[in-house]
Amino acid sequence: MEHITDISRRGFIGSVAGVGALAALGLAGCAPKAAAETEAMAETGAAGEAAPAAADWLGTAPDIAEGDIAATKDCDLLIVGAGNGGMAAAAYAADAGVDFILCEKGETVGATRHWFAALGTRPFKELGVEVDRQRLMGEIVRYSQGNCDQRLIRMWMDESNDMFEFVDGIMTASGAVVIADEFDMPGGMGGTPFYTPPFEHHYVDENGGREFDERNVLFEKHINEAGREVTFGHELAKLVREEDGRVTGAIFNTPEGYVQVNAAKGVLLTTGGYAANPAMLTALSPVTTQSVTALGYNQNNTGGGIKAALWAGAAKDLTSATMIFDRGLVAPGTKAGYTEESVEAGEPQFPGNGQFNPGTQPFLKVNMNGERFANESADYDYLPHAAAQLPGGTYVSVWDGNFGEDVQRFHTLGCSAMTRNMVQMFKGEDGSYDLDKFFEKELGDGRLQKADTLEELADKLGFAAEAKENFLAACERYNELFDAQDDPDFGKEAYRLSALRTPPFFGATLGGTLLTTIDGIRINHECQALDAEGNPIEGLYAAGDCSGSVFSGCYPDQLHGFACGRTMTEAIHVVKLLA
Ligand SMILES: Cc1cc2nc3c(=O)[nH]c(=O)nc-3n(C[C@H](O)[C@H](O)[C@H](O)COP(=O)(O)OP(=O)(O)OC[C@H]3O[C@@H](n4cnc5c(N)ncnc54)[C@H](O)[C@@H]3O)c2cc1C
């Protein structure tokens, strides 16, 4: 959905690295000086030379004359984007009696992301489990390579329990029961060198299912009961920034024309990331576009909020970060890659086709040359990242008839635990697992390969000549490692090694599934958008995936639920601040 017709698509800088740097410096903002500099650079290139191929994901703010505004509305707080952050903010604002308007591009509230992290909550206290805050802070800083704002992380740590209490009140009233995840791990927390803190929550009904409205739907009902509603079909076109520097509202593209919403106290952007914008993603995170074989994002998330903030003078994270799950199951021979053209041609595909949960299981994985290339017991995006640097960008996971037993022993965490839980439903009275039934869909559509011998499996996977030899040698070596219960080759934990001896054998060609992007508008610990000098832009706030200052390079997968936990905590923090 692109209503804005008058955005100039003209490129303004020659290098990909330069785009990030420029944006971070605020030069891409709509302040007149910045715009002039930007245009000058488009003519000459940053070094005064002719600009090479332009990266034009940012464009310029649309020119909207006062006379083009079809309607104007007023409120204290304008929230933009009715997803996980926006709905939490709106529900909290409804309780706090804040005069708010919530504008959403789509026609429904965004999909709920169920697992969320919070510290020191009642359910974990009842279990006697505590998070080591210093260690957690160190882990977040390490994952972000120091690019995060540690005061912002501390704010999340301090206020996430309040967020939990608020969310829990609404969920519990609907009959949902909270589950405190991941406190009882073999070999200590996670059994990996990563810290896997006990702080993830999700909800089930009394039968362990999910027979209740999703959280965002419950939030919508909650604000409806308070006499408020989500304003759908409103796509952010640009922010309104006054000469004194304050952001005082925003203009939206709507079916009725442009609508301006004035916000006396502030504008909170919760517009999500830019995963649905291949041009922006290619410019900012080529490792993502080169590793992806399946898509799982909200298709409204084209980076509109980030771009509007940059046009208004905000700075962006200097580095990028995306959330990629290693579950993009594809037919043998498929190559990874995500471009505007490939999406139009229907590739990669959206889940249910692409999200193959067992892809995360730490079985032997080999590259397209049949060689083992990494420790498979790793964060979700490590294998896709490594494969992106290799020809084809995909890799193959291989397991045998002991799959059911192996995944119980692997005991993976977070949503990847679904595999070990689901396969139990296919366990017969004799203790064996009906794997044909468990993998029925993927075997049926030809993406998953099954064979009685490893040789036959190699053929089905498309390994020819040398690659086949490598593949068989890798399987043999892997059996040796399993027997020795030691992996000097890549350092995997012994309990996550497995044998390849019991037919049938299975082979899955995999790449990454792109879920979202998590770099964005640089914010401080109050979630205020920052300009190029690091000063807060009065009246402008951001939370969740459109905001930055937390992640860099990757999503910290062992910190399960951190994305949604920080999103809702930040969003509620802004409401508290302005209430
Ligand atoms: C399939 C999937 C599963 C996930 N599961 C989890 C999980 O279990 N736990 C976890 O921690 N994280 C999870 N994540 C990540 C998590 O969803 C995000 O990190 C974050 O919580 C999203 O919140 P948000 O409000 O920033 O964005 P979103 O929830 O994506 O909401 C953004 C909203 O803004 C709207 N919007 C976009 N552009 C505009 C515009 N220009 N104008 C107006 N509105 C606009 C969109 O339509 C959308 O409703 C998952 C992500 C995906 C894709």
Side-chain angles (χ1 to χ4, degrees):
M1 185 162 97
E2 184 64 86
H3 296 303
I4 305 167
T5 51
D6 51 349
I7 292 180
S8 162
R9 289 279 169 204
R10 185 154 60 138
F12 67 98
I13 187 166
S15 79
V16 166
V19 170
L22 251 197
L25 288 169
L27 291 178
C30 69
K33 178 169 168 276
E37 286 178 20
T38 298
E39 292 202 1
M41 283 193 173
E43 307 296 337
T44 63
E49 295 156 11
D56 67 349
W57 62 266
L58 183 55
T60 54
D63 217 358
I64 302 170
E66 220 169 294
D68 295 336
I69 307 289
T72 303
K73 299 176 186 176
D74 297 294
C75 62
D76 281 342
L77 168 64
L78 168 63
I79 305 165
V80 189
N84 292 281
M87 291 310 298
Y92 197 90
D95 277 10
V98 175
D99 169 31
F100 73 90
I101 291 177
L102 167 55
C103 291
E104 160 62 37
K105 177 177 176 177
E107 297 303 330
T108 59
V109 297
T112 299
R113 305 312 178 193
H114 297 278
W115 286 266
F116 66 93
L119 269 66
T121 61
R122 181 180 29 81
F124 280 106
K125 279 193 178 142
E126 283 170 6
L127 293 165
V129 180
E130 273 183 36
V131 168
D132 180 337
R133 283 175 57 121
Q134 276 89 343
R135 194 169 168 209
L136 175 59
M137 176 65 89
E139 198 76 352
I140 293 169
V141 173
R142 181 158 66 104
Y143 263 115
S144 82
Q145 299 145 347
N147 287 293
C148 65
D149 180 326
Q150 295 178 35
R151 289 168 301 176
L152 175 64
I153 306 299
R154 201 170 64 218
M155 183 282 284
W156 166 69
M157 288 189 183
D158 290 344
E159 298 186 17
S160 61
N161 182 41
D162 277 4
M163 175 275 290
F164 166 77
E165 285 296 335
F166 176 70
V167 172
D168 192 59
I170 291 177
M171 298 301 295
T172 307
S174 81
V177 181
V178 69
I179 299 291
D181 261 344
E182 295 162 19
F183 47 88
D184 182 20
M185 294 303 307
M189 233 15 112
T192 74
F194 298 96
Y195 180 39
T196 306
F199 64 12
E200 182 186 68
H201 307 73
H202 69 110
Y203 286 86
V204 296
D205 61 34
E206 55 187 14
N207 300 316
R210 255 197 221 146
E211 288 298 315
F212 49 85
D213 283 331
E214 294 197 338
R215 191 180 64 238
N216 285 350
V217 173
L218 291 173
F219 282 154
E220 187 181 10
K221 287 184 175 168
H222 193 72
I223 66 171
N224 291 161
E225 280 160 16
R228 308 255 169 200
E229 56 187 25
V230 183
T231 309
F232 292 109
H234 277 48
E235 179 182 17
L236 176 66
K238 67 190 277 189
L239 294 163
V240 178
R241 190 173 181 188
E242 299 299 330
E243 273 178 13
D244 65 3
R246 189 177 174 82
V247 169
T248 57
I251 300 173
F252 294 87
N253 256 305
T254 81
E256 285 75 45
Y258 288 121
V259 171
Q260 178 161 340
V261 181
N262 299 318
K265 290 190 173 173
V267 176
L268 169 60
L269 295 175
T270 46
T271 49
Y274 56 92
N277 185 334
M280 191 166 168
L281 202 64
T282 305
L284 298 178
S285 182
V287 71
T288 300
T289 46
Q290 285 185 43
S291 64
V292 161
T293 53
L295 310 175
Y297 48 71
N298 178 331
Q299 294 175 55
N300 284 330
N301 290 353
T302 52
I306 297 173
K307 293 205 289 186
L310 297 189
W311 292 332
K316 192 195 155 298
D317 280 329
L318 288 170
T319 53
S320 65
T322 55
M323 187 186 281
I324 300 173
F325 284 9
D326 47 358
R327 299 178 188 163
L329 178 67
V330 285
T334 308
K335 291 193 163 79
Y338 170 40
T339 63
E340 228 153 348
E341 296 73 32
S342 75
V343 173
E344 274 163 25
E347 294 289 343
Q349 303 217 334
F350 278 91
N353 275 336
Q355 184 83 293
F356 178 62
N357 193 282
T360 302
Q361 294 302 316
F363 289 110
L364 169 66
K365 295 191 168 89
V366 297
N367 63 23
M368 299 323 290
N369 203 28
E371 301 151 329
R372 188 170 181 222
F373 64 104
N375 180 348
E376 300 87 352
S377 179
D379 278 16
Y380 296 160
D381 48 10
Y382 285 14
L383 270 289
H385 280 177
Q389 332 278 335
L390 303 170
T394 49
Y395 54 92
V396 166
S397 180
V398 54
W399 60 88
D400 73 2
N402 289 325
F403 175 93
E405 293 82 6
D406 287 341
V407 298
Q408 303 307 318
R409 188 180 66 258
F410 294 162
H411 205 100
T412 59
L413 299 174
C415 53
S416 134
M418 275 173 72
T419 292
R420 70 177 144 87
N421 294 331
M422 299 288 286
V423 79
Q424 304 261 30
M425 291 157 65
F426 298 80
K427 191 172 181 180
E429 282 182 4
D430 64 353
S432 68
Y433 292 87
D434 186 347
L435 297 182
D436 283 349
K437 196 83 189 141
F438 184 63
F439 294 122
E440 189 174 17
K441 178 168 178 272
E442 295 81 11
L443 289 168
D445 64 27
R447 286 175 299 152
L448 185 63
Q449 307 307 309
K450 178 187 153 193
D452 289 333
T453 63
L454 287 166
E455 285 81 1
E456 192 193 338
L457 187 69
D459 294 336
K460 287 189 168 180
L461 289 165
F463 287 126
E466 194 186 326
K468 182 174 174 179
E469 262 178 48
N470 292 339
F471 172 74
L472 294 173
C475 294
E476 202 179 316
R477 171 69 181 154
Y478 202 64
N479 280 334
E480 286 170 15
L481 300 179
F482 174 74
D483 291 344
Q485 286 293 290
D486 187 25
D487 176 17
D489 297 357
F490 291 94
K492 185 150 75 177
E493 309 92 319
Y495 80 97
R496 285 188 166 168
L497 293 167
S498 52
L500 289 164
R501 291 192 176 109
T502 309
F505 300 98
F506 295 85
T509 305
L510 292 163
T513 303
L514 174 58
L515 296 197
T516 187
T517 61
I518 42 178
D519 58 301
I521 305 154
R522 199 75 193 165
I523 57 172
N524 64 11
H525 60 288
E526 301 286 29
C527 305
Q528 291 177 289
L530 301 175
D531 68 15
E533 279 76 43
N535 299 316
I537 298 176
E538 292 302 321
L540 185 60
Y541 302 82
D545 290 357
C546 71
S547 69
S549 309
V550 176
F551 304 107
S552 175
C554 67
Y555 179 64
D557 281 307
Q558 307 300 318
L559 309 183
H560 305 291
F562 181 36
C564 205
R566 74 106 184 188
T567 296
M568 293 197 289
T569 306
E570 289 169 355
I572 288 173
H573 178 85
V574 173
V575 179
K576 282 184 193 163
L577 206 65
L578 300 184

